[in-house]
Amino acid sequence: MTDTEKWPEIERAVTEKRRELVLQGSGVDKRISSCGGLPSSLYSLQLLNYLEVSQCPSLTEIHGEIQHLTNLQSLVLCRNKLTSIPDVLGTLKSLKVLDLSVNNLKGLPQGITQLKELNTLNVSCNCLEALPDGLSQCTKLSTINVSKNQITAFPPDLFSERLDLLSTLVASDNSVQELSGEIYKLSALKVLDVSNNKLSEIPADLSDCPKLKEINFKGNKLSDKRLEKMVNGCQTKSILEYLRGRGRGRQGAEGDDADKKKRQQRKKKGKAVEEKDEVEELNKMVVRVLHVSEAPAALTVTVSAEVKDVRPYLVCCLVRGMNLKPGNALKRFLMAQTKLHDDLCGRRTIATIATHDAQLVKGPLVYDVRPPTRLKIVPLGRREMTAVELIRQLHLEADELRKQKKRQNVTGLHKYLQLLEGKSVYPCLVDAGGDVISFPPITNSEKTKIKKTTKELLIEVTSSASLQTCKDVMDALIVKMAELNKFTAEHQEEAGSDGEDDGAPQPPGAVGSETETSSQLIVQQVRTVDQDGNLKVVYPSKTDLSKEISNLTVIW
């Protein structure tokens, strides 16, 4: 049996020019065991920017040929039995996320220090005794997780001013004996977890980290018993104040004027950073991504093979926290969607967005095709009709619009109607009850229409161009939603001022009557699979929502 026959996922990735590939579970593990590792054909998928191979105990090594995957941005090799990683990993210059957690690694290759774009490093739950020197060369690192290893000391250059983006350092459940006073150089550090180690001292210099918000030193036998008692029960602020006071006491005893001057300079710099940080916090838009595994009943969309020749590409996600109730919030959102359709989506000729009230959607969903005469939908603002009837009606309306405006050329409405000309079947998204809730690129259903009271949205983007086009449009929409939600939270408007009837007013204190103040969006991943249940795409993945937007924070 050839690689192609044994590994249909790789064959599909080649033929469909995919940029993401996920191989996981017992079925994949059995093939890895019988083949003696991953197939060489995997390393020829040079378009990949996301590769995940997980939950495969038979996987003990990664071949050096991985260096050919030069476009990789995320490499997830967690929950396997890897004992080593090739040094050539350092040649993957585009790599931003490296997850090697839950393996049997005793060391990391020096090549990792050459990953200049790396922002997330997760090597938790291994057998590491040390980290490689030179991590300060990875100047874009923002998160390091080395918990549950056997590390006895941090490399000296980890506490470097070059790592001015490092905000999270998790090193719990190790054997670290000392925390260097140089840690104050990590100016962006917000979270520090060194619980359950072998520390006896906490450096007073830690209090000079200007952005530090959360620390955990529990499970360490500290020589300062008062401090040990504090770390087991006090807030971060109290511990930092105690350390700051202890540092002042030490200066008085030693009379070290130079050290005092340096501390004052750091304090002044720290205050300036803190003030700047507060301004940034006020301007920040936050999007929190929930992994599909965090959803008790995750929504899945199955894509039929027949859509390939009609409109093959689809991504979906669920969004909570979008407050559409106050004032013109709903109207602003619909106008933003229309603008994206006109601009980025090329008047729907490149891609189409559809939004649904998720509470009115019965999952699981199927992205399928139907003959025009058999595709029935209740279009937005209309009665139920077949696709043939709807297309005919829209053509009449488009012609009338052209005559009224005395145009010779076709209108935007005409353009996207022509996308289906000559097709014997039309694409549609069908719910578990057999109802068509979307007919791209034409319309979605009145049955799942969003209202001011909508709490959770299902968003779909379809395209004939490429999967990346769908992702780019979805990224742009999520960012715009975050902007709008922040605007709504900051500008108080009376509910219903845009004229939509929300029903009877609620008495003060009634459930659901409280004012929404948080602007944080929660985006729940949605998996799209083929008819055999094989993953086609999950949105968002860690390569999505990755464009650098100064005031947007994405929390994974």
Side-chain angles (χ1 to χ4, degrees):
M1 188 180 289
T2 64
D3 272 5
T4 300
E5 293 170 320
K6 275 191 175 181
W7 298 92
E9 304 95 330
I10 295 176
E11 171 65 14
R12 281 194 296 273
V14 172
T15 56
E16 297 177 15
K17 297 181 179 179
R18 292 189 184 179
R19 287 173 169 78
E20 296 183 5
L21 179 62
V22 177
L23 301 171
Q24 63 179 201
S26 58
V28 172
D29 185 53
K30 287 177 183 176
R31 283 179 278 166
I32 289 175
S33 179
S34 65
C35 296
L38 292 167
S40 58
S41 56
L42 171 66
Y43 304 113
S44 65
L45 301 176
Q46 295 187 12
L47 291 178
L48 287 183
N49 56 36
Y50 181 94
L51 173 62
E52 177 179 340
V53 185
S54 58
Q55 302 175 43
C56 298
S58 298
L59 185 62
T60 58
E61 64 177 0
I62 294 294
H63 199 279
E65 287 185 73
I66 197 168
Q67 65 182 310
H68 299 309
L69 302 182
T70 53
N71 288 309
L72 271 187
Q73 295 182 29
S74 293
L75 178 59
V76 179
L77 301 172
C78 63
R79 300 183 182 279
N80 301 301
K81 296 290 183 182
L82 294 172
T83 57
S84 64
I85 297 294
D87 194 59
V88 294
L89 197 71
T91 62
L92 301 179
K93 301 302 183 183
S94 298
L95 202 63
K96 295 181 179 180
V97 176
L98 179 59
D99 186 347
L100 303 173
S101 60
V102 198
N103 280 287
N104 291 332
L105 298 173
K106 293 185 177 179
L108 296 175
Q110 193 65 33
I112 281 182
T113 64
Q114 302 304 309
L115 299 173
K116 308 298 185 185
E117 296 297 316
L118 192 66
N119 62 49
T120 301
L121 175 63
N122 185 354
V123 290
S124 61
C125 303
N126 277 286
C127 309
L128 301 174
E129 295 180 0
L131 295 173
D133 290 327
L135 281 174
S136 62
Q137 297 176 76
C138 304
T139 55
K140 293 189 178 180
L141 270 172
S142 65
T143 300
I144 298 176
N145 188 342
V146 295
S147 61
K148 297 185 178 179
N149 279 284
Q150 299 164 22
I151 295 169
T152 57
F154 293 116
D157 77 320
L158 182 63
F159 304 121
S160 166
E161 290 174 339
R162 297 181 67 186
L163 294 178
D164 58 354
L165 298 177
L166 184 60
S167 62
T168 301
L169 175 58
V170 180
S172 57
D173 299 285
N174 278 283
S175 299
V176 177
Q177 298 176 15
E178 183 182 4
L179 189 63
S180 169
E182 299 290 290
I183 193 168
Y184 77 86
K185 292 181 179 179
L186 299 179
S187 58
L189 191 65
K190 293 182 179 180
V191 177
L192 174 65
D193 186 350
V194 283
S195 58
N196 300 317
N197 276 277
K198 295 183 178 179
L199 296 171
S200 59
E201 301 286 341
I202 301 176
D205 304 80
L206 183 67
S207 63
D208 291 327
C209 291
K211 294 189 177 183
L212 199 56
K213 297 287 190 295
E214 182 181 332
I215 56 176
N216 189 352
F217 285 92
K218 293 179 182 178
N220 289 285
K221 294 184 178 179
L222 303 177
S223 57
D224 186 333
K225 295 306 175 185
R226 183 182 175 188
L227 182 57
E228 184 176 315
K229 187 176 180 180
M230 291 180 72
V231 302
N232 288 324
C234 289
Q235 297 287 332
T236 295
K237 187 177 180 181
S238 302
I239 297 169
L240 293 178
E241 285 176 355
Y242 178 79
L243 290 173
R244 199 171 288 121
R246 196 178 67 174
R248 285 195 296 268
R250 186 187 66 215
Q251 289 167 11
E254 297 175 357
D256 190 342
D257 292 337
D259 189 45
K260 184 176 180 180
K261 189 174 181 180
K262 285 181 182 177
R263 183 173 289 276
Q264 287 173 341
Q265 288 174 344
R266 293 206 299 263
K267 187 176 180 182
K268 187 176 180 181
K269 181 181 177 183
K271 189 175 181 181
V273 170
E274 192 172 347
E275 288 173 354
K276 182 182 177 185
D277 195 34
E278 287 176 359
V279 173
E280 289 175 353
E281 286 289 332
L282 290 172
N283 293 326
K284 190 179 291 181
M285 302 179 299
V286 179
V287 173
R288 182 181 296 275
V289 178
L290 292 185
H291 192 272
V292 67
S293 62
E294 298 178 67
L299 182 68
T300 301
V301 183
T302 300
V303 178
S304 74
E306 288 76 14
V307 300
K308 184 178 180 181
D309 299 322
V310 184
R311 195 176 184 83
Y313 304 108
L314 165 83
V315 296
C316 297
C317 68
L318 292 165
V319 178
R320 296 196 291 274
M322 187 70 187
N323 188 10
L324 301 173
K325 197 166 188 178
N328 293 312
L330 176 60
K331 185 179 290 185
R332 284 193 294 271
F333 173 60
L334 295 176
M335 288 173 65
Q337 184 179 330
T338 300
K339 191 172 190 315
L340 278 174
H341 267 149
D342 289 346
D343 298 341
L344 190 58
C345 298
R347 292 185 180 271
R348 306 195 197 194
T349 58
I350 298 172
T352 307
I353 303 165
T355 54
H356 308 270
D357 187 325
Q359 293 182 334
L360 303 176
V361 174
K362 302 173 186 175
L365 305 177
V366 177
Y367 184 46
D368 204 355
V369 296
R370 290 185 179 179
T373 54
R374 289 178 50 205
L375 194 163
K376 286 188 176 182
I377 187 172
V378 182
L380 289 171
R382 302 172 189 262
R383 61 173 178 80
E384 183 180 62
M385 58 182 70
T386 65
V388 171
E389 294 170 326
L390 178 59
I391 295 292
R392 185 185 302 122
Q393 183 65 33
L394 290 174
H395 268 300
L396 291 172
E397 292 171 6
D399 286 337
E400 184 61 31
L401 181 64
R402 185 172 62 174
K403 289 174 184 176
Q404 286 178 5
K405 296 191 175 183
K406 299 180 179 179
R407 291 177 176 172
Q408 297 300 317
N409 59 325
V410 295
T411 65
L413 193 60
H414 264 104
K415 282 183 179 178
Y416 74 79
L417 289 175
Q418 291 174 350
L419 293 174
L420 295 176
E421 284 185 2
K423 304 289 186 184
S424 59
V425 289
Y426 290 166
C428 56
L429 191 62
V430 185
D431 71 5
D435 291 327
V436 174
I437 63 170
S438 180
F439 170 25
I442 308 301
T443 186
N444 47 304
S445 174
E446 180 75 19
K447 291 182 178 181
T448 57
K449 176 183 175 182
I450 63 170
K451 300 182 177 67
K452 294 172 75 67
T453 52
T454 296
K455 298 292 185 185
E456 182 177 17
L457 291 90
L458 167 66
I459 304 176
E460 57 162 292
V461 177
T462 59
S463 174
S464 297
S466 69
L467 186 62
Q468 192 58 45
T469 298
C470 292
K471 289 174 158 243
D472 290 345
V473 170
M474 188 72 89
D475 281 358
L477 179 60
I478 297 294
V479 171
K480 190 62 185 177
M481 289 173 73
E483 290 177 2
L484 292 172
N485 222 32
K486 184 174 180 299
F487 180 89
T488 299
E490 292 173 351
H491 296 76
Q492 294 186 358
E493 299 171 281
E494 291 183 11
S497 65
D498 64 358
E500 184 177 320
D501 183 14
D502 287 329
Q506 292 177 304
V511 175
S513 66
E514 59 270 19
T515 304
E516 302 282 350
T517 56
S518 172
S519 63
Q520 176 176 285
L521 286 183
I522 298 174
V523 181
Q524 170 72 60
Q525 289 180 323
V526 171
R527 289 165 56 94
T528 301
V529 301
D530 63 20
Q531 289 170 304
D532 297 323
N534 298 308
L535 182 69
K536 289 178 72 69
V537 64
V538 60
Y539 182 91
S541 71
K542 287 196 175 180
T543 57
D544 302 316
L545 295 170
S546 59
K547 291 181 180 177
E548 293 186 4
I549 299 170
S550 59
N551 60 336
L552 177 68
T553 298
V554 180
I555 303 172
W556 289 87

